Amino acid sequence: MGEIAPWNPMQFIFISLFTCYLSFMRPPEGGMSVIALYLLTFFICTPALYIQLKLGGYLQKGIVGIFSMFFPIWKGVGVVAVIDMLLRLTNLAPIVAQFGTYAFIAISEQPYVWGNCKAIVDQSFCYDGLSDVKIMNNLKSYQRVEELFYRREFLQLSPGVDSMDGFPQWKFTEIARKAEVSLMPVTLAIVWVIIFLLVGFGGRFCGWVLFVMGPAALSCLLAVLGYGYTHLDSSAALAYLKQVYSYNSEYSALRSWQQSLLVVMNSLPVWTIIAATMGKMCGKGRSIRNITWVLMVGIYALCSQLPPITMAPYLGEMIFNQQSPGMQNQVGPGLVLWQMPAAFTVLKIPPIYAFLFLLSAFLFGLMFLVVGSLTIVDNIMDSLEEWIDKKCCSKIVIHLLMTFVIMCIAKGMGILQTTKAGMYYFILIDQSVSKIQFILVLLLAFGLLVVYVKQNFALAERIIMGLWLIVSALFTAGMWLMLFLKTYDRDLIYEEVNYTFPKPWKIVSWCIAVLPYIGILLGALHTLFTTHGPGFFTKCCCGVTERVREHEDTEHEETLMAYHPPPPEPTAPPYMQTYMEHSYPMDDLGYNPKYDYDPPETEPLTASNNCTRI
């Protein structure tokens, strides 16, 4: 039998629940958005997911390792995807930390600390439903107390991106008042420490923890869903669902497709480094690598709309029955961090359900951060594999070290988002990182196509999936390009507070957008400087020319299925090894001098030669 894969199919199913994290912040907006979302999922995302998951499992490599093996000059594109993923994780982690912090605020004091205007320093135009002030004639001038609490007391938002003004000092709970330091950077550090503990001990341990975390997050969400539909007005819930799911002529078809594209591409790991590594973690068995794409697409199709369906009775009651100001058309973190808290306050929802909802948002977001971080570290470990073997280093120690380094880099990059200008930096990165995403889509698609057609899969499969991948990549890149042409010259805007970024920050935005593409140059230079010998061009562009072969021999599964070029070394020096054993078949391997052993490796160890690969 071969080595047991870190993840089994059941684990993969529950780990795939991380794809629901974005639905908390970006519910459908009517029009054709839901139809477009599912059409994109089944017809545009499927070929890219299928090929990446299958290659990752078949070759037991991440995206960087796959390109390094079969298309070395293209491995810089994998580096681009790694940097892109690091930027996304860095930008999301502070928001996930805020979800977790709000979960504890929900149960810290009663009544809800966020639901009273007395907790706001500037109480002008504050509406909490408790005041006797008659405001109905100019209701639009007022803001919900929960919105003011989030921006003025929790974030303590500065006047602009240029005014960092230090870190927020919270005064709304007893623990916050006693703290001598700002707690917002502390909460971010806690999130990254959790990620380090999960990722640092490897994919197998991480997989089991995520296997528990997925059902836990789902259970919390279902509990809130059940309470809402059994205790609140169902007609308001249906009105809200009709608003977000039914066809609305106010939204153009193009806008609906573009918004759905943003949701799907940032939820499913279609053109990222995640899919290949998830395929690798599931092992190289033929059955599992051919069904992982079905499992992931199915989980996303079934569960991605659970968050907006859960929020429907609460937000529907606030919009249609309570007619609270500012509750319409909200997207982003504010949907979780002040609109739902407003509903919990006004509708007198027990604190435990507020805690469970915020905890589920935190867990789904944390799962994405963990999977993304594991993917980055695994790709780095693939790149260091030869060096680790040469130096005889402990893979466990190097894995822990790389995880710690990634955690420190991400924490350092995200520290700006814990300042009073943090939300401006979140908006800046969020609007910048996808600015030229169409380039990455085309580069990844070309590299994956080259590698995929070189494999030993069925010819009909390679033709069909290859053509499907081309259509998918061209459509996706075309949609991203249209969005780019529509928005590239626009000012950066923080719409919730009507703030326009100063002109110099457009340059910063372009720098953030271009930053990952440094990886193309770095990868190409590394390939050119590490490739030697005859056939230089072929080695740079083609890598391994032999196909990884699939064998049907189940009797010798461990030996035969583990074959990857170059062939495995024997377990003893050549003069001590016999190849007459059927368990080590060598008849079908052509002689290649580069696989011979160097003379020093067959000699006894000395003080100056204290390590060998044997």
Side-chain angles (χ1 to χ4, degrees), residues 190-418:
I190 291 173
V191 167
W192 281 111
V193 168
I194 294 173
I195 295 170
F196 169 74
L197 294 175
L198 297 184
V199 175
F201 290 99
R204 193 179 303 278
F205 173 78
C206 184
W208 281 110
V209 176
L210 291 173
F211 174 67
V212 175
M213 194 181 297
L218 187 61
S219 300
C220 293
L221 191 63
L222 291 176
V224 180
L225 183 150
Y227 182 89
Y229 282 94
T230 55
H231 291 79
L232 299 179
D233 184 7
S234 59
S235 61
L238 292 175
Y240 178 82
L241 292 174
K242 182 179 179 181
Q243 175 178 286
V244 298
Y245 284 108
S246 64
Y247 178 75
N248 190 336
S249 58
E250 293 181 5
Y251 299 103
S252 66
L254 179 60
R255 172 186 167 88
S256 298
W257 279 91
Q258 288 176 338
Q259 294 302 315
S260 297
L261 178 78
L262 292 174
V263 174
V264 173
M265 294 301 158
N266 288 292
S267 300
L268 282 171
V270 184
W271 301 106
T272 69
I273 59 172
I274 290 178
T277 299
M278 291 186 71
K280 173 185 175 181
M281 291 295 166
C282 290
K284 51 193 173 186
R286 177 173 298 184
S287 299
I288 184 64
R289 69 171 184 255
N290 284 326
I291 65 169
T292 47
W293 70 275
V294 178
L295 299 177
M296 178 171 287
V297 171
I299 286 295
Y300 181 73
L302 290 174
C303 300
S304 63
Q305 298 307 305
L306 276 179
I309 291 174
T310 299
M311 292 185 281
Y314 303 90
L315 298 181
E317 182 78 25
M318 293 295 291
I319 294 172
F320 298 105
N321 293 347
Q322 301 294 330
Q323 296 183 346
S324 293
M327 299 294 291
Q328 292 277 7
N329 301 324
Q330 178 72 29
V331 296
L335 187 62
V336 177
L337 295 173
W338 78 259
Q339 285 205 352
M340 283 298 288
F344 296 144
T345 302
V346 174
L347 304 177
K348 296 181 172 57
I349 305 298
I352 185 61
Y353 291 100
F355 172 77
L356 290 176
F357 174 78
L358 293 162
L359 180 63
S360 68
F362 170 76
L363 290 177
F364 280 117
L366 182 63
M367 288 178 67
F368 173 74
L369 295 177
V370 171
V371 172
S373 300
L374 176 65
T375 302
I376 293 174
V377 174
D378 184 74
N379 276 272
I380 294 174
M381 292 298 295
D382 278 350
S383 302
L384 297 177
E385 185 175 7
E386 183 178 348
W387 180 85
I388 292 172
D389 291 340
K390 183 178 180 180
K391 299 296 183 181
C392 296
C393 299
S394 169
K395 289 186 177 180
I396 297 176
V397 173
I398 299 299
H399 191 279
L400 281 168
L401 178 61
M402 289 298 103
T403 306
F404 180 76
V405 170
I406 293 299
M407 182 197 73
C408 292
I409 293 173
K411 175 66 170 69
M413 293 172 62
I415 196 69
L416 287 176
Q417 286 179 236
T418 62

Side-chain angles (χ1 to χ4, degrees), residues 91-155:
N91 199 42
L92 180 65
I95 303 300
V96 175
Q98 292 177 21
F99 292 165
T101 305
Y102 252 66
F104 285 98
I105 293 175
I107 57 174
S108 62
E109 295 183 10
Q110 292 303 314
Y112 294 113
V113 68
W114 57 56
N116 195 319
C117 285
K118 294 180 180 179
I120 310 299
V121 175
D122 183 4
Q123 299 180 19
S124 58
F125 297 102
C126 174
Y127 176 71
D128 57 8
L130 304 175
S131 174
D132 294 332
V133 179
K134 298 185 181 299
I135 64 171
M136 297 308 296
N137 293 331
N138 59 343
L139 185 61
K140 293 183 179 180
S141 302
Y142 282 76
Q143 291 177 287
R144 283 288 321 178
V145 58
E146 294 81 7
E147 181 179 8
L148 295 175
F149 175 86
Y150 173 58
R151 296 213 173 97
R152 296 183 184 178
E153 300 301 319
F154 185 79
L155 296 178

